[in-house]
């Protein structure tokens, strides 16, 4: 596979960058607790083999172009495990992300033959690309991201469009697209419940 073209931006996405009708999104933080672990990087891709990395924590969270993109009803935001990213983006950027697609939710509804719904597993099975998770735990607040960090951060968004295509076909085949859409629509509320301290399944007995 050809090396991805990676653009690194500080503080916000340049106004000149656009993604069309859908954008793959991921974020890197200092840990797994949104209230404690700040948002450091937001990665974006149009699904064209290139990625934009926006470094945020150095200069704060005044990122009007990025916020406008997240809230734009005409641009579908494709995540893997949107629940976490949407909560972090709401907490740090103060914006409600919409509309949302989540490849992990889609996988759980479509790939009932397995319990392996991680991005690495999905990308391997459905796209035939092996992702490295080596840089997952690294200092994302560093002023300069290493080449390895940049490549890792980009790899998390480069394949989400293809994954969505494959998963949509499976959801259609199994007649579960309406369930997936309803679950995607609930993700914004699910993220808000997490931020409000309701991490458990409130539908459970
Ligand atoms: Mn990631």
């Amino acid at each position: 596979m050809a090396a991805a073209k990676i653009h690194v931006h500080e503080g916000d996405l340049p106004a000149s960058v656009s993604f069309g009708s859908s954008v793959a999104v991921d974020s890197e933080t200092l840990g797994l607790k949104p209230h404690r672990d700040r948002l450091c990087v937001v990665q974006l891709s149009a699904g064209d083999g290139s990625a934009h990395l926006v470094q945020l924590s150095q200069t704060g969270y005044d990122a009007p172009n990025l916020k406008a993109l997240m809230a734009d009803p005409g641009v579908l935001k494709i995540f893997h495990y949107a629940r976490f990213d949407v909560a972090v983006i709401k907490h740090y950027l103060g914006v409600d992300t919409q509309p949302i697609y989540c490849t992990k939710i889609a996988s759980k509804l479509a790939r009932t033959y397995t319990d392996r719904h991680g991005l690495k597993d999905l990308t391997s099975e459905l796209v035939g690309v092996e992702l490295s998770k080596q840089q997952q735990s690294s200092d994302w607040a560093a002023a300069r991201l290493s080449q390895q960090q940049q490549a890792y951060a980009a790899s998390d968004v480069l394949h989400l469009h293809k994954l969505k295509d494959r998963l949509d076909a499976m959801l259609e085949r199994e007649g579960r697209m309406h369930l997936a859409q309803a679950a995607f629509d609930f993700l914004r509320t699910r993220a808000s419940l997490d931020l409000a301290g309701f991490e458990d399944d409130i539908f459970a007995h």
Side-chain angles (χ1 to χ4, degrees):
M1 202 178 83
K5 184 136 182 61
I6 301 174
H7 311 269
V8 180
H9 312 288
E10 245 175 72
D12 197 4
L13 196 64
S16 57
V17 178
S18 60
F19 297 92
S21 59
S22 64
V23 61
V25 188
D26 185 35
S27 65
E28 303 300 336
T29 63
L30 280 178
L32 295 176
K33 298 182 179 181
H35 290 280
R36 181 191 68 183
D37 303 321
R38 68 182 198 266
L39 171 63
C40 298
V41 184
V42 175
Q43 307 99 281
L44 306 146
S45 176
D48 59 357
S50 72
H52 292 265
L53 315 185
V54 184
Q55 287 188 277
L56 287 162
S57 52
Q58 304 297 326
T59 49
Y61 297 100
D62 182 27
N65 296 331
L66 182 58
K67 291 179 195 184
L69 178 65
M70 289 301 119
D72 188 339
V75 183
L76 180 67
K77 269 66 72 173
I78 308 169
F79 296 90
H80 182 79
Y81 197 49
R83 178 175 173 177
F84 180 77
D85 299 296
V86 168
V88 164
I89 287 167
K90 184 181 175 72
H91 187 60
Y92 288 93
L93 296 178
V95 65
D96 279 321
T97 299
Q98 58 117 10
I100 297 167
Y101 186 101
C102 178
T103 54
K104 189 167 192 135
I105 296 288
S107 177
K108 286 185 176 182
L109 289 171
R111 296 170 66 251
T112 48
Y113 53 83
T114 179
D115 59 0
R116 300 178 76 87
H117 302 289
L119 182 62
K120 195 174 158 53
D121 296 310
L122 276 183
T123 309
S124 173
E125 181 186 310
L126 300 179
V127 187
V129 171
E130 302 300 325
L131 292 182
S132 164
K133 281 277 148 191
Q134 222 168 29
Q135 293 294 317
Q136 191 163 34
S137 311
S138 67
D139 181 12
W140 292 106
R144 265 165 198 262
L145 299 177
S146 68
Q147 293 297 319
Q148 289 88 341
Q149 283 180 307
Q150 290 184 26
Y152 167 77
S155 72
D156 275 354
V157 289
L158 289 174
H159 310 290
L160 295 183
H161 282 80
K162 272 192 195 131
L163 281 180
K164 177 183 180 296
D165 287 346
R166 308 286 188 277
L167 290 163
D168 278 351
M170 296 173 90
L171 286 168
E172 289 288 359
R173 189 188 73 197
E174 301 308 319
R176 299 202 182 112
M177 191 59 100
H178 64 294
L179 281 176
Q181 189 56 56
F184 300 153
D185 292 343
F186 181 67
L187 273 164
R188 193 166 59 143
T189 304
R190 181 60 267 182
S192 294
L193 285 165
D194 285 338
L195 289 174
F198 295 96
E199 288 98 353
D200 292 337
D201 177 8
I202 58 165
F203 297 101
H205 189 337

